[in-house]
């Protein structure tokens, strides 16, 4: 299927590895030129080199902390006029409700709610003026089904979801569509971090912790960055113009709900 986005320009945040890398890879496979961002310059350049070699697209890299004003300014200056924005940031650390203070919530909101909002505010006017745009926010399955140990993430990502629900319907008439992708557990560093925490808390091996978590997923496995990236690419495609303000779960069936 030709997604109709060859030659478009996309900014993919936190794209040196994991789900962000999966999204960048699949967009590039469909002919999209990339602006890739991550904090670590070495991993970012390595990923960009591999994507250029594999897909022959233009790739610009900006090593910066996208959650800071200076980082966003640097990335947006390098990005220029964008057709596609994929927001992404690592989730806050797990813990108990009694562990978190106000500053912990502020950090979570900055990274997982206010940063995507700031990026959208920066790029939406240009997309609307040109009459075409796609925004995909990588959030979490916790938006649909809160995860007890991820209270910081639950809170911040729910706030972003509410913002997108209203904003997406205000810009859709200009040819700009905004949607959210809600990953469950995928085979990324985040999964290793969560499994390590579970292993330590339960006094079991990392492999046993992973096996127990996989048993809670109807698909019986963790997702892959490649299949996640494919879903992202479709939401950025010419066929996604009538998909507005939706929250698409990619969790192997882990969230058990009718709607």
């Amino acid at each position: 299927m030709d997604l109709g986005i060859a030659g478009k320009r996309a900014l993919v945040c936190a794209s040196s590895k994991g789900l962000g890398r999966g999204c960048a890879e699949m967009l590039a496979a469909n002919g999209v030129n990339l602006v890739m961002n991550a904090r670590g310059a070495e991993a970012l350049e390595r990923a960009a080199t591999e994507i250029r070699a594999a897909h022959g697209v233009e790739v610009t890299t900006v090593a910066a902390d996208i959650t800071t004003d200076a980082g966003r300014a640097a990335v947006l200056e390098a990005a220029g006029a964008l057709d596609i924005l994929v927001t992404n940031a690592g989730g806050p650390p797990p813990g108990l409700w009694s562990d978190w203070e106000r500053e912990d919530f502020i950090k979570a909101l900055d990274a997982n709610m206010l940063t995507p909002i700031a990026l959208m505010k920066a790029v939406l006017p240009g997309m609307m003026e040109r009459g075409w745009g796609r925004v995909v926010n990588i959030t979490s399955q916790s938006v649909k089904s809160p995860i007890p140990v991820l209270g910081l993430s639950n809170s911040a990502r729910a706030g972003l979801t509410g913002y997108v629900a209203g904003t997406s319907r205000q810009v859709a008439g200009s040819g700009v569509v905004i949607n959210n992708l809600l990953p469950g557990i995928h085979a990324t560093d985040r999964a290793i971090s969560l499994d390590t925490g579970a292993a330590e808390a339960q006094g079991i091996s990392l492999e046993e912790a992973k096996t127990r978590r996989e048993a809670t997923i109807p698909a019986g496995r963790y997702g892959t960055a490649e299949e996640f990236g494919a879903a992202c690419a479709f939401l950025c495609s010419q066929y996604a113009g009538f998909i507005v303000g939706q929250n698409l779960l990619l969790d192997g069936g882990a969230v058990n709900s009718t709607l």
Side-chain angles (χ1 to χ4, degrees), residues 228-249:
F228 187 89
C232 178
F234 180 80
L235 287 181
C236 295
S237 76
Q238 64 179 333
Y239 302 110
F242 211 57
I243 306 174
V244 175
Q246 298 304 301
N247 295 281
L248 177 62
L249 276 167

Side-chain angles (χ1 to χ4, degrees), residues 162-195:
Y163 177 86
V164 168
T167 303
S168 62
R169 287 158 175 86
Q170 296 177 60
V171 303
S174 297
V176 181
V177 297
I178 310 174
N179 292 290
N180 303 320
L181 279 178
L182 284 55
I185 296 295
H186 285 68
T188 65
D189 288 349
R190 176 68 163 170
I192 294 173
S193 175
L194 293 174
D195 287 341

Side-chain angles (χ1 to χ4, degrees), residues 18-23 26 183-188 221-231 250-252:
L19 300 183
R21 168 68 186 268
C23 293
M26 293 305 295
I185 296 295
H186 285 68
T188 65
R221 63 175 177 86
Y222 289 179
T224 69
E226 292 77 14
E227 59 195 347
F228 187 89
L250 286 89
D251 68 343

Side-chain angles (χ1 to χ4, degrees), residues 1-50:
M1 178 187 291
D2 179 5
L3 297 186
I5 50 178
K8 300 288 188 185
R9 186 170 176 83
L11 166 59
V12 186
C13 300
S15 52
S16 64
K17 56 187 178 180
L19 300 183
R21 168 68 186 268
C23 293
E25 191 84 44
M26 293 305 295
L27 287 170
N30 283 277
V32 176
N33 297 313
L34 300 175
V35 179
M36 295 177 63
N37 158 255
R39 297 184 188 185
E42 184 177 347
L44 180 62
E45 290 302 332
R46 183 166 56 250
T49 298
E50 292 171 356

